[in-house]
Amino acid sequence: DVIAWGKRGHFAYIQILEDAWSHGGGTFAINERNFPHGRDGLKAVVAKLHAAGFKVGLHFLSAGMRGTDPLVSPVPNDGLVYDASLPLAGAVDEKADFLPTATPPSQFPAEDGGYTGSGTVLRVDDEIIFYSTVKLDPPYGFVGCRRGYLNSKPTAHAAGAAARHMLKAYGLFLIDADSPLLDQVAQNVAATFKYCNLDGMYYDG
């Protein structure tokens, strides 16, 4: 069908969306629902499109990763963007839904913001925590915490442990472009690009 549509529209290029060919940014594991044979299946599709006279490219969101990616959960990679940090004012156990801070967490988003927001997700040690809002009057801290977010392990945290905000854009966690993680993600994309004999990439976002 794609070949028929492409020829009818006189298109020269077929672009495969990120959700169609992969499970999303970071590891860029092949979407086995659409390509049950993994990279070999994607390579065969590309070859078929080439044989029909089209060039073929992959679309991907180059700067972000879903929370389900192994580079984000259950233990977040150090190469993600952490744009604010505060120490905990006291020790908390693995069930606490309020995380106290010594000073007001005014640099942290007060609401998740959805698709266009920065998110309300923290990393404390190796645990990922979703909070509903911030408390800017004493006792300061993060309110309505969902512990063990994104399949991380709920654990106790000592006083002074850093609560770091994991920055999101368009629902995705962001890669620190100055970290080794950028090269790692680039290699993941490049491996599929080269193996499947692709003609181009669309760097979205």
Side-chain angles (χ1 to χ4, degrees), residues 1 3 16-17 33 61 65 98 102 121 134 143 163-164 171 176:
D1 285 346
I3 289 171
I16 305 175
L17 285 173
R33 292 189 299 274
L61 291 155
M65 287 187 260
F98 176 74
V121 182
V134 294
V143 179
R164 295 186 284 168
D176 182 349

Side-chain angles (χ1 to χ4, degrees), residues 39-69:
R39 277 187 186 160
D40 287 333
L42 179 57
K43 185 176 183 178
V45 168
V46 172
K48 189 171 183 178
L49 292 170
H50 279 160
F54 297 100
K55 290 186 176 182
V56 188
L58 299 182
H59 158 273
F60 75 118
L61 291 155
S62 54
M65 287 187 260
R66 295 178 185 177
T68 53
D69 192 87

Side-chain angles (χ1 to χ4, degrees), residues 85-88 97-101 105 108-109 122 124 129 131-135 139-145 163-165:
S85 179
L86 275 180
L88 296 182
D97 61 1
F98 176 74
L99 301 186
T101 57
F108 293 74
L122 303 172
V124 183
I129 300 168
Y131 65 92
S132 60
T133 191
V134 294
K135 192 169 184 292
Y140 311 118
F142 302 98
V143 179
C145 294
R164 295 186 284 168
H165 180 246

Side-chain angles (χ1 to χ4, degrees), residues 18 21-31 39 60-61 64-66 68-73 77 175 181 184-192:
E18 178 184 273
W21 71 269
S22 80
H23 286 294
T27 54
F28 286 104
I30 301 299
N31 185 339
R39 277 187 186 160
F60 75 118
L61 291 155
M65 287 187 260
R66 295 178 185 177
T68 53
D69 192 87
L71 291 171
V72 177
S73 66
N77 191 285
I175 302 167
L181 180 60
Q184 182 178 344
V185 172
Q187 288 297 327
N188 292 339
V189 178
T192 295

Side-chain angles (χ1 to χ4, degrees), residues 108-178:
F108 293 74
E111 58 182 22
D112 178 72
Y115 183 69
T116 58
S118 299
T120 52
V121 182
L122 303 172
R123 177 181 181 177
V124 183
D125 298 322
D126 284 341
E127 182 185 358
I128 304 172
I129 300 168
F130 179 92
Y131 65 92
S132 60
T133 191
V134 294
K135 192 169 184 292
L136 302 180
D137 59 316
Y140 311 118
F142 302 98
V143 179
C145 294
R146 290 166 53 187
R147 306 296 299 275
Y149 191 58
L150 297 175
N151 295 318
S152 63
K153 183 179 180 180
T155 56
H157 304 291
R164 295 186 284 168
H165 180 246
M166 299 173 65
L167 181 64
K168 296 176 76 175
Y170 304 111
L172 303 173
F173 294 99
L174 299 180
I175 302 167
D176 182 349
D178 294 318

